[in-house]
Amino acid sequence: MAITNVTAVGQDGEKLEPLCIADGNVNSRGISLASSVQLAYESPICEYPKKPPLDRDFYQQAMKVKRGLVFLREKKVQSKKWERWWVRRVEQGARRADTPAACPPPPPPGRRAPPPLAWPLPRAPSPAGPAGPRSRRESAGRGRRGMARRRCGRCGRRGRRGRCGRCGRGALLACAAWTAGWVLAAALLLRAHPGVRSERCTDEKSRRILAALCQEYQGGVLVGDLCEDLCVAGQLRYQRCLYYERGKKVLQATWRGRPIILKSKEEAFSSFQPLSLPEDAAEEGGPDALEAELHLLVAGEVRNALGLELSGGSLGPLWPGRRGGGRRGQLASLWALLQQEEFVLFSLLQDLSRHALPVLGSCGHFYAVEYLAAGSPRHRALFPLEGAAGVPRGGRGQARAVSDMALSFLDMVSHFEDDFAHRLHLCDVKPENFAIRSDFTVVAIDVDMAFFEPKMREILEQNCTGDEDCNFFDCFSKCDLRVNKCGAERVNSNLQVICDKIFRHWFSSSLGSWAIPFPLQRQLRDAVQECADPWSMARSPPRAASDVFWKLRSLLRATQRELQEAEK
């Protein structure tokens, strides 16, 4: 066995105590862990394989510390507590490595040194001492201590009650559990709120999308009545990006001095399914046969998207970009627009409802609607009142505006329930999906989750094991456990959801500052609570739900009268 004394030099140039290197074992005092490892690697007399010549227990501890630091760095755990804990472990291990140990004695003359051992070293049994074998009590006690040590782990420390202290493995497991908890919470958040997965909305990307749109327009791939103003005349100018959500792009622009919104379900024109028509349609019957074939396809698309039958022999408002361009570009642009349910619904309702946005035009797969400031929970009244006409300042003016908007919401509910061939269901009710005009008319500006009765029944009628499986956003159904099938009938209503998510915010204790008489406040609050309860509305007959509607309407009318008299 080769034994060599090596003199180490510290960072300040001073000589440290000799190091004893025997078969690669380094024992040092006043030298860091990194210096010990580097010195052992550079020693030409080390007979062990190229492994850190440290005590096996400390080497394994150091590796755990290293893996823990790498784990924390890779997971981007911003916790000073964990970093301080790992630094303490390194310092404790370094102090243990710096403890001096006597050099092993040389082998007897005439006896060969043992061959190099593999790393890590196996744990050898302790030899018997000069007194011979230990007694059974001694052996049993030592065995119990060994078992406790193995139970604690090599990095553990026994406390006063014999329990193990924290060690690197336990800390890693705790850190992994902590990280897994955050990952699970993030996954649940993404499932509950898919909008969290939204892309980052940037002006640079928005301009690039519009530039690609104009390039395809100039190549004859797509057409639209807004393409000329956007790509050639400069009458339609991009202003800012509003949001990207699950592929949907919403941009704000000005068109001939008028603020508008550009929308599309997808970013690229090529993301939409291409139109496939029989090649012999145009050859046999000419353009009329081709348009008849297209009408059949459009009717099928409207039936699939909204559950409605398209009547009449003309495409009507569903083709705003029919002017200009070749026949191929017109058909491709129309087909891309018809694959967007919101465009189809806005186009069908624009001449029938004042609570829906009209379509102003299109360019390829982008369509334009009127710009209105959306609501937000950040506003005390949920909607910005700066642009509304005749809103006096103070609590009384805000109370009057709220009562006008609430009456408009009730008018929209009645309109969507009774004025169409089928009831229109709103399955995503929140302030961000509505806006108000200057005359306090409520307008639905995002109807991606609005469905007519036939489509609603098709969505709700699914397999289930409980009532929670029959909830489609804000549209609820009940599970029939006899057949494990959700009922096709919606058990709540547009009125119930609006009372819960809009009216409940307005008609609460905060109304005390709006100069409304207290008895009227209490009646409004009680009526809203009754209206917002989904199960009471579900158990009530239609007549009772109608009574709640008219009660709310009469109380809001009375509120308006009280406010007008107070202003006089």
Side-chain angles (χ1 to χ4, degrees):
M1 180 181 298
I3 302 176
T4 305
N5 288 331
V6 181
T7 301
V9 180
Q11 295 181 354
D12 299 331
E14 61 176 348
K15 293 186 178 181
L16 305 177
E17 292 187 11
L19 305 175
C20 176
I21 301 180
D23 291 335
N25 289 322
V26 177
N27 302 310
S28 63
R29 178 179 300 187
I31 187 168
S32 66
L33 171 63
S35 302
S36 301
V37 175
Q38 181 180 3
L39 181 62
Y41 272 126
E42 294 176 354
S43 175
I45 62 173
C46 181
E47 298 183 9
Y48 281 128
K50 296 295 184 177
K51 297 289 183 179
L54 305 171
D55 175 64
R56 185 187 67 168
D57 291 348
F58 176 60
Y59 171 71
Q60 293 183 352
Q61 170 69 10
M63 290 300 100
K64 289 177 182 178
V65 171
K66 179 181 177 182
R67 288 194 297 268
L69 290 173
V70 172
F71 176 83
L72 292 174
R73 192 179 302 113
E74 289 178 350
K75 297 300 181 182
K76 299 181 180 179
V77 177
Q78 304 296 330
S79 175
K80 297 298 182 184
K81 176 182 176 182
W82 285 107
E83 294 179 7
R84 288 195 299 269
W85 192 90
W86 285 116
V87 169
R88 285 200 303 271
R89 299 302 301 171
V90 173
E91 292 174 353
Q92 293 171 2
R95 284 196 296 269
R96 186 171 62 178
D98 292 344
T99 303
C103 293
R111 187 174 179 180
R112 299 180 58 185
L117 300 178
W119 185 274
L121 295 176
R123 185 178 293 275
S126 301
R134 296 184 179 86
S135 64
R136 174 175 293 183
R137 180 173 297 179
E138 257 185 326
S139 301
R142 193 165 185 85
R144 285 193 295 270
R145 288 195 297 271
M147 290 174 62
R149 194 178 300 114
R150 286 194 296 272
R151 223 171 21 244
C152 291
R154 296 189 181 94
C155 57
R157 298 189 302 275
R158 292 173 59 83
R160 285 182 296 181
R161 297 186 180 180
R163 295 185 178 180
C164 301
R166 294 183 180 178
C167 64
R169 179 176 299 176
L172 282 175
L173 290 176
C175 182
W178 180 80
T179 306
W182 277 107
V183 171
L184 179 61
L188 293 175
L189 179 64
L190 290 175
R191 184 175 180 180
H193 302 280
V196 176
R197 298 191 297 265
S198 303
E199 307 172 54
R200 186 182 176 187
C201 187
T202 62
D203 290 337
E204 180 183 359
K205 185 172 183 179
S206 301
R207 294 181 187 277
R208 189 165 61 246
I209 292 173
L210 295 181
L213 182 71
C214 289
Q215 185 176 3
E216 289 179 313
Y217 165 69
Q218 293 169 355
V221 178
L222 53 85
V223 297
D225 51 356
L226 296 181
C227 291
E228 187 74 14
D229 288 345
L230 174 64
C231 304
V232 180
Q235 297 287 337
L236 197 158
R237 297 180 179 274
Y238 168 81
Q239 294 294 318
R240 63 190 180 103
C241 173
L242 294 182
Y243 66 88
Y244 298 161
E245 182 178 355
R246 291 170 289 174
K248 184 177 181 178
K249 303 294 181 289
V250 181
L251 315 175
Q252 183 178 346
T254 56
W255 180 40
R256 300 179 182 178
R258 176 185 182 182
I260 64 170
I261 299 294
L262 291 174
K263 287 188 173 186
S264 176
K265 188 178 180 179
E266 300 290 345
E267 174 182 331
F269 187 73
S270 58
S271 300
F272 294 92
Q273 181 182 0
L275 177 65
S276 57
L277 288 174
E279 297 182 357
D280 55 348
E283 298 178 359
E284 294 180 359
D288 294 337
L290 186 61
E291 186 164 338
E293 187 71 26
L294 180 62
H295 183 271
L296 293 177
L297 291 176
V298 170
E301 191 68 21
V302 172
R303 187 186 308 112
N304 293 332
L306 304 178
L308 298 178
E309 295 292 338
L310 186 63
S311 60
S314 173
L315 298 177
L318 292 175
W319 202 340
R322 191 170 181 176
R323 293 182 308 174
R327 172 72 64 172
R328 184 180 299 274
Q330 289 181 7
L331 297 179
S333 301
L334 172 62
W335 192 244
L337 291 172
L338 291 175
Q339 294 177 55
Q340 306 180 54
E341 294 84 356
E342 187 179 61
F343 166 80
V344 177
L345 189 58
F346 278 152
S347 299
L348 294 177
L349 295 180
Q350 62 183 353
D351 296 330
L352 303 175
S353 174
R354 64 192 185 106
H355 295 287
L357 288 174
V359 177
L360 304 177
S362 69
C363 180
H365 56 298
F366 274 89
Y367 58 96
V369 294
E370 178 185 2
Y371 171 76
L372 292 174
S376 172
R378 295 191 299 269
H379 299 293
R380 186 167 183 260
L382 294 182
F383 298 93
L385 302 178
E386 293 80 9
V391 180
R393 294 183 178 181
R396 187 177 292 111
Q398 192 171 20
R400 183 175 178 181
V402 165
S403 61
D404 289 342
M405 289 187 292
L407 284 169
S408 183
F409 265 109
L410 292 181
D411 182 69
M412 182 184 69
V413 168
S414 176
H415 175 60
F416 288 168
E417 291 275 338
D418 304 326
D419 293 349
F420 303 130
H422 299 285
R423 182 183 306 171
L424 181 61
H425 296 273
L426 303 177
C427 294
D428 189 12
V429 175
K430 55 185 178 182
E432 295 87 340
N433 290 344
F434 298 94
I436 59 167
R437 300 186 188 274
S438 59
D439 60 349
F440 299 109
T441 299
V442 175
V443 180
I445 61 176
D446 192 329
V447 292
D448 281 338
M449 302 298 293
F451 307 96
F452 283 101
E453 182 72 22
K455 186 66 175 180
M456 188 80 262
R457 298 178 68 89
E458 179 184 335
I459 292 173
L460 291 177
E461 200 170 15
Q462 303 293 334
N463 296 329
C464 64
T465 57
D467 288 344
E468 63 276 2
D469 297 333
C470 303
N471 296 345
F472 182 75
F473 294 88
D474 291 331
C475 295
F476 301 158
S477 178
K478 293 187 69 66
C479 181
D480 188 351
L481 296 178
R482 295 172 299 178
V483 294
N484 289 338
K485 199 81 171 178
C486 294
E489 190 74 23
R490 182 184 177 186
V491 297
N492 64 343
S493 64
N494 293 337
L495 177 62
Q496 183 271 321
V497 181
I498 288 174
C499 284
D500 183 27
K501 295 194 172 183
I502 306 294
F503 288 2
R504 199 192 287 269
H505 175 85
W506 283 339
F507 305 108
S508 60
S509 59
S510 62
L511 274 179
S513 61
W514 289 357
I516 298 177
F518 179 74
L520 194 54
Q521 287 187 46
R522 186 176 57 188
Q523 293 177 17
L524 272 171
R525 183 170 60 249
D526 294 343
V528 168
Q529 293 291 343
E530 181 184 359
C531 173
D533 186 3
W535 304 119
S536 66
M537 293 287 287
R539 291 189 297 265
S540 301
R543 180 66 183 172
S546 177
D547 291 343
V548 172
F549 174 87
W550 289 108
K551 182 192 296 185
L552 280 172
R553 187 162 187 166
S554 62
L555 289 173
L556 290 171
R557 294 289 187 190
T559 301
Q560 285 184 328
R561 289 193 299 268
E562 290 284 346
L563 292 172
Q564 289 174 359
E565 292 178 1
E567 288 177 0
K568 293 179 181 178

